[in-house]
Amino acid sequence: MPKIILDREKCIGAFSCLAVDPEKWKQANDSKVDLVGSKKVGAVFVREISKDELELARAAASSCPVNAIEVKE
């Protein structure tokens, strides 16, 4: 199952992911983003996605200026 991985420590709050996919990302109170529906696994947040969501997830990841988002298939 594909997944999105967010390293929130790297996040600088550019919100480019939010602009690309507002259904999966939201602005948090600390001016970073939260990955909606994710679970904390160690130091990162992980959300499983369908294959149909891969293209949008990749676009959000590539828009991040600090590479805080990774998509694994």
Side-chain angles (χ1 to χ4, degrees):
M1 178 75 97
K3 58 183 124 189
I4 302 171
I5 301 165
L6 168 65
D7 184 339
R8 210 163 174 284
E9 291 295 316
K10 287 184 179 179
C11 181
I12 60 169
F15 305 117
S16 55
C17 56
L18 179 65
V20 170
D21 189 0
E23 291 185 18
K24 287 187 192 67
W25 303 96
K26 70 176 184 177
Q27 184 174 349
N29 292 335
D30 63 356
S31 296
K32 293 186 177 195
V33 294
D34 283 333
L35 177 55
V36 176
S38 67
K39 293 182 181 178
K40 189 166 186 181
V41 178
V44 297
F45 292 83
V46 179
R47 175 181 170 166
E48 290 187 354
I49 58 172
S50 70
K51 289 184 179 186
D52 294 339
E53 297 173 288
L54 274 172
E55 187 175 334
L56 201 53
R58 285 188 198 116
S62 66
S63 75
C64 181
V66 293
N67 299 314
I69 303 166
E70 182 180 355
V71 178
K72 290 201 175 187
E73 295 184 51

